[in-house]
Amino acid sequence: MHYASGELKPLWRGRFHLASLLFLVVYGTILVVWAAMRRDETERRIASAIVFVEGTLLCFAVSAEYHLTEFKTVAAENLARRMDHVCIHIMLASGTMPLALLVFSHIAMLVYLAVTGTVALVGISYLFIKDLEPKQ
């Protein structure tokens, strides 16, 4: 498989991300069910599990699509690459949110979530401002 620019795609990256996605569907379901079965702070545990699983699922799904699809145009490929990179920022934010929800006090949680969300939005905004031409 090749990128629209003609560059050879990494052989296993998309397949690994697809396998991780399929694994995470099972693991994520188990994690959310386990969180719901706990008796203490159930809402925070469920929210933490759902946010973590959904952010990670989104990242692996978009990444697998980007790496396993042969795009016909450079513009379509550039959009897919941007979405792949956006999802990395989303996964990083959603992966740290459980820490804030389960460990920090209320004020510290709000500050942490505000800073993490702001950093993710700045990173995502940068991706749409920056020129993402294929590497040559």
Side-chain angles (χ1 to χ4, degrees):
M1 296 184 82
H2 292 81
Y3 292 109
S5 63
E7 183 181 348
L8 188 63
K9 286 188 173 190
L11 181 63
W12 287 100
R13 186 175 297 157
R15 292 175 184 154
F16 176 73
H17 289 173
L18 181 60
S20 298
L21 172 68
L22 297 175
F23 172 78
L24 189 62
V25 168
V26 174
Y27 168 74
T29 303
I30 292 168
L31 183 64
V32 171
V33 168
W34 177 82
M37 292 172 59
R38 299 290 302 235
R39 295 176 194 226
D40 56 329
E41 298 183 15
T42 303
E43 295 84 14
R44 282 189 177 196
R45 289 183 191 278
I46 293 171
S48 296
I50 289 173
V51 167
F52 170 75
V53 170
E54 291 300 320
T56 309
L57 279 173
L58 178 67
C59 186
F60 281 131
V62 171
S63 184
E65 181 270 336
Y66 169 62
H67 291 290
L68 293 175
T69 303
E70 286 208 37
F71 296 96
K72 299 200 184 307
T73 66
V74 173
E77 184 177 300
N78 284 342
L79 179 61
R81 182 183 308 113
R82 272 193 191 131
M83 292 300 105
D84 184 37
H85 292 165
V86 163
C87 288
I88 292 169
H89 289 280
I90 291 171
M91 184 181 75
L92 291 173
S94 70
T96 61
M97 188 178 287
L99 173 70
L101 291 174
L102 296 174
V103 175
F104 294 151
S105 67
H106 185 72
I107 297 297
M109 175 185 69
L110 293 176
V111 170
Y112 184 85
L113 292 175
V115 170
T116 303
T118 301
V119 169
L121 287 174
V122 167
I124 290 169
S125 300
Y126 176 73
L127 291 171
F128 284 98
I129 295 169
K130 170 182 139 170
D131 185 23
L132 287 175
E133 290 298 317
K135 297 177 184 175
Q136 300 205 25

